[in-house]
């Protein structure tokens, strides 16, 4: 799926789009039940249409997973909605043992994964969610970049069956995909940015960028801005935007980096268990070049909004641009 120099569009929140998707799925699937933990933003429309299939358990995320598991074992298709930090951390044992280990049909929608809740601080940050859920048995993990990717991810997760986790934005995210983008689990979006001297045809799969940036979620927009910013430097950049992050699309990655001299990963996540880890494992022994990774580090987060935290941790567009044009540091 190649998307040509799209830039980024106006920001939009994922929650309204996901709420519409759940309501639509509720109309189509009489066995769909939606659960929440003291939060109805994602389920308002569903609950209005199907009040007998919506349950709010209150601030009790562990119990929430137990109820979801029981309903799934009884033959229901279940969606769990809540704040990502509390679903991922507070209910980790129940999620792993009750839902993921037996492979039950439960989709977990985590709002505000990564650094999405910004100024609310460390209790509300969860920069390990994608890696933690990727390590759960039988679980597929999604990290959509915008409203269009979120709509597809939720529908694909619910219709696909089995344990699923979808990281959703807590605020508004730049729109990077066209509304009619044909998403696929194992085919990430490919965005090509040619340098000023390029003679390749638009979207030519045989003329990849000399640098590839691998991103997911909110960092896709940052990567697109960086790719545009380095065009005057003569760099031809390909951005690989992942909506589905686990199982990791290794073959798509290897195809995207063929001929590239530099690969940069950027993620709103700790380096362990995230895009850098998965990319390095996929490239090991099969690609040779300069590999750089930008990720959330172990420093305590200051009180900043999401954009400020991106700058603090060096995962914003300016940091990606520097990684693309500056020589790698010399080993000491």
């Amino acid at each position: 799926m190649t998307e040509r120099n799209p830039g980024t569009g106006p920001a939009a929140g994922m929650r309204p789009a996901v709420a519409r998707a759940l309501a639509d799925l509720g109309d189509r699937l009489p066995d769909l039940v939606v659960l929440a933990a003291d939060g109805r933003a994602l389920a308002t429309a569903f609950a209005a249409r199907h009040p007998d299939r919506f349950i709010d358990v209150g601030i009790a995320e562990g119990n929430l997973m137990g109820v979801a598991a029981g309903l799934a074992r009884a033959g229901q298709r279940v969606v769990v909605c809540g704040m990502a930090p509390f679903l991922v951390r507070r209910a980790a044992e129940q999620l792993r043992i009750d839902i993921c280990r037996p492979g039950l049909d439960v989709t977990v929608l985590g709002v505000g994964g990564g650094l999405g809740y910004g100024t609310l601080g460390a209790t509300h940050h969860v920069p390990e969610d994608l890696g933690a859920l990727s390590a759960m048995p039988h679980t597929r993990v999604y990290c959509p970049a915008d409203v269009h990717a979120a709509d597809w991810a939720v529908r694909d997760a619910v219709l696909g069956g089995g344990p699923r986790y979808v990281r959703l934005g807590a605020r508004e995210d730049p729109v990077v995909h066209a509304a009619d983008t044909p998403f696929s689990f194992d085919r990430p979006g490919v965005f090509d940015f040619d340098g000023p001297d390029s003679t390749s045809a638009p979207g030519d799969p045989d003329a990849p960028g000399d640098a590839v940036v691998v991103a997911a979620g909110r960092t896709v927009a940052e990567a697109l801005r960086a790719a545009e910013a380095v065009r005057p430097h003569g760099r031809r950049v390909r951005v690989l935007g992942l909506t589905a992050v686990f199982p990791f699309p290794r073959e798509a990655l290897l195809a995207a980096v063929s001929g590239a001299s530099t690969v940069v990963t950027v993620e709103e996540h700790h380096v362990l268990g995230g895009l850098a880890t998965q990319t390095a494992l996929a490239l090991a022994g099969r690609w040779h070049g300069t590999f750089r990774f930008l990720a959330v580090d172990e420093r305590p987060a200051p009180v900043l909004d999401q954009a400020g935290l991106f700058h603090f941790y060096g995962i914003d567009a300016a940091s990606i641009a520097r990684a693309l044009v500056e020589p790698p540091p010399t080993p000491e």
Side-chain angles (χ1 to χ4, degrees):
M1 180 176 67
T2 302
E3 303 182 44
R4 176 68 175 178
N5 295 16
T8 56
M14 293 183 185
R15 281 182 279 196
V18 172
R20 290 191 295 270
L22 287 180
D24 177 56
L25 289 165
D27 294 342
R28 296 167 52 192
L29 304 171
D31 60 342
L32 180 62
V33 177
V34 176
L35 309 180
D38 194 41
R40 302 192 175 201
L42 297 181
T44 299
F46 181 95
R49 297 186 197 177
H50 310 288
D52 57 327
R53 289 191 273 139
F54 171 73
I55 304 170
D56 189 336
V57 305
I59 305 175
E61 287 81 6
N63 290 343
L64 177 69
M65 296 301 175
V67 173
L71 287 168
R73 286 187 179 277
Q76 301 297 130
R77 192 188 309 250
V78 184
V79 171
V80 170
C81 307
M83 297 175 73
F86 308 126
L87 296 180
V88 172
R89 284 199 295 263
R90 188 175 295 165
E93 181 180 9
Q94 292 85 352
L95 179 57
R96 181 178 184 84
I97 302 301
D98 295 346
I99 292 173
C100 297
R101 175 57 66 186
L104 298 183
D105 192 355
V106 177
T107 295
V108 177
L109 305 182
V111 178
L115 306 172
Y117 282 114
T119 55
L120 294 181
T123 57
H124 287 63
H125 297 164
V126 58
E128 71 275 16
D129 59 336
L130 304 180
L133 270 294
S134 295
M136 298 283 185
H138 314 299
T139 304
R140 289 196 169 201
V141 179
Y142 304 75
C143 185
D146 65 9
V147 291
H148 304 309
D151 178 86
W152 172 80
V154 170
R155 293 174 189 271
D156 189 75
V158 172
L159 295 172
R164 302 286 190 266
Y165 174 71
V166 186
R167 176 202 276 191
L168 299 171
R171 309 302 183 213
E172 293 189 334
D173 299 286
V175 176
V176 300
H177 298 288
D180 59 353
T181 298
F183 294 97
S184 170
F185 197 93
D186 56 357
R187 295 179 59 199
V190 177
F191 304 86
D192 285 333
F193 289 77
D194 295 335
D197 299 324
S198 172
T199 58
S200 63
D204 182 356
D206 297 320
D210 57 12
V212 175
V213 180
V214 183
R218 181 63 176 264
T219 59
V220 174
E222 302 296 326
L224 295 178
R225 293 188 182 113
E228 186 66 41
V230 301
R231 290 182 69 185
H233 295 270
R235 297 229 72 171
R236 190 168 67 243
V237 178
R238 169 166 286 181
V239 175
L240 194 66
L242 279 61
T243 297
V245 298
F246 192 83
F248 189 74
R250 294 190 176 193
E251 295 307 316
L253 170 72
L254 291 169
V257 304
S258 176
S261 61
T262 302
V263 171
V264 178
T265 61
V266 56
E267 55 193 315
E268 187 184 359
H269 194 273
H270 286 315
V271 65
L272 295 178
L275 295 184
T277 301
Q278 295 290 344
T279 300
L281 289 171
L283 296 180
R286 303 180 69 178
W287 176 84
H288 300 281
T290 299
F291 177 67
R292 307 181 74 170
F293 58 88
L294 307 175
V296 177
D297 58 46
E298 296 298 333
R299 289 174 295 166
V303 180
L304 296 169
D305 62 13
Q306 188 180 33
L309 291 170
F310 270 41
H311 177 72
F312 175 78
Y313 286 116
I315 57 174
D316 59 345
S319 300
I320 301 168
R322 285 194 296 272
L324 288 168
V325 299
E326 293 180 357
T330 301
E332 296 182 358

